[in-house]
Amino acid sequence: MMKATNITKKQLTEYDLNHLWHPFTQMKEWCAQDPLIIERGQGNYLIDIDGKRYLDGVSSLWANIHGHCRREINGAISQQLSMISHSTLLGLTHPPAALLARRLADISPGDLRWVFYSESGSTAVEIALKIAFQYWQNTGRTSKKTFLCLREGYHGDTLGSVSVGGIDLFHKIYSPLLFNSYKAPSPYLFCREHGLPLDQGAEPCAQSVEQILGQHHNEIAGFILEPLLQGAGGILPFPPGYLKAVRELCNKYDVLLIADEVAVGFGRTGTLFACEQEGVTPDLLCLGKGITGGYLPLAATICTDEVFRHFWADYHELKTFFHGHTYTGNPLACAAALASLDLFEKDRALEVLPEKIEVLRKGLERLRQLPPVGDTRQVGLMAGVEVFKDPNKLEPYSLADRIGHKVCMKVREHGVILRNLGDVIVIMPPLSITLDEITQIIESVEMAIHEVCP
Ligand SMILES: *Cc1c(COP(=O)(O)O)cnc(C)c1O
């Protein structure tokens, strides 16, 4: 048994290091050490091929919601598996897709109602951009062809979503391939640069948006943003009131609001959807990551009747939305999503969040006291801890130091899996995390920062 496992591990390592190109990974760095091979999951833990357990501190890249290998979700998937694994939504429908569309229409904010499925957050965003673009073409306002987005925004890695992305490190090199978009400042960084407390930032940040909309609204089809918190840009919260102000500006200037809740959706910010916290209904809502509880690839773009009705016409009018993917609305994935929504009720997943959010807040307060930590940020169960070379001047470490990465590698030795964004240590556990486990994550970060930061 032991021997077989060792052989497998060695072979797997060899196969990986020789053939597998990992996402967002400098492969030279990757190949310099043996990979950690995760073989199983159990609740909030990942278990490697040697049986060592790690807390999943970033929800397997912001996806997992209720823990791994939950009987209810596994059961729903295998039940669907015994019916059919895939059937198309082009010209046909199937029970889980219809049931889930109805459930999503029920739970999504305001009058969002029409659900267009795809498989990843990036495609959910592509679809929102294409719908928003075509909406104005179909209504005859054909000059509205471009988009407004935010600096430090992240909406996925396909070229359309990169065109509305604002992270230079990831996006800049592709600029010759992208369509132009207008970019408003990242609200959090705007406040930081102007020395404004976040709670006074809504109005000046909204003004920076209005400057662009006032001048260019005739060209702008939609404003896409990650509501309440820019995730991949570095866990950057919005000033309270900013989202609501943006909604009002979009109304004033006839621009569709596209809320990308791929990261913040499904309870991560403390409410089922982030938009709820400011009473905002977007015209288009993008969902992904946590929609299946983090079990299978599925995404959804949901729009209002007002958007949908401008695609409703006789075929020859050519107002059809000509878009779809082979696995659009995959039945296994829809079944997992339905089971995940049931678990929100069964586990009372949202009701028990405030206590967890408070324990995380106190933990961050403690980390904030560590000398290299210049900033901590949190919305709900999403948090970032930023380390600096000189935290008083917010002077960063050099790129070559790889400090954030090193901290996360050290955290691993303490039995927790985390992933950094630059020098921001991201903490984003499943909603099913326990109070003790949150404390364990905080302690692992504290030790690692002590051990790694010069
Ligand atoms: C992760 C993410 C995406 C992209 O989702 P993928 O499934 O990785 O394509 C889009 N928007 C936001 C806000 C995200 O965090």
Side-chain angles (χ1 to χ4, degrees), residues 118 120-133 147 155-164 179 224 258 286 301 321 323 325:
S118 59
S120 74
S122 305
T123 52
V125 167
E126 296 286 340
I127 288 160
L129 297 175
K130 284 177 74 176
I131 290 177
F133 174 86
F147 290 88
H155 302 289
D157 295 330
T158 53
L159 289 174
S161 23
V162 170
S163 297
V164 292
F179 60 75
I224 182 165
I258 305 170
C286 302
T301 308
F321 186 48
H323 186 108
H325 303 276

Side-chain angles (χ1 to χ4, degrees), residues 251-288:
N251 290 345
K252 178 172 170 188
Y253 290 102
D254 250 352
V255 162
L256 297 178
L257 178 62
I258 305 170
D260 177 356
E261 293 223 17
V262 170
V264 295
F266 295 100
R268 210 68 79 180
T269 66
T271 47
L272 190 59
F273 298 111
C275 284
E276 293 169 26
Q277 294 192 28
E278 301 208 347
V280 161
T281 304
D283 301 288
L284 289 142
L285 174 68
C286 302
L287 302 176

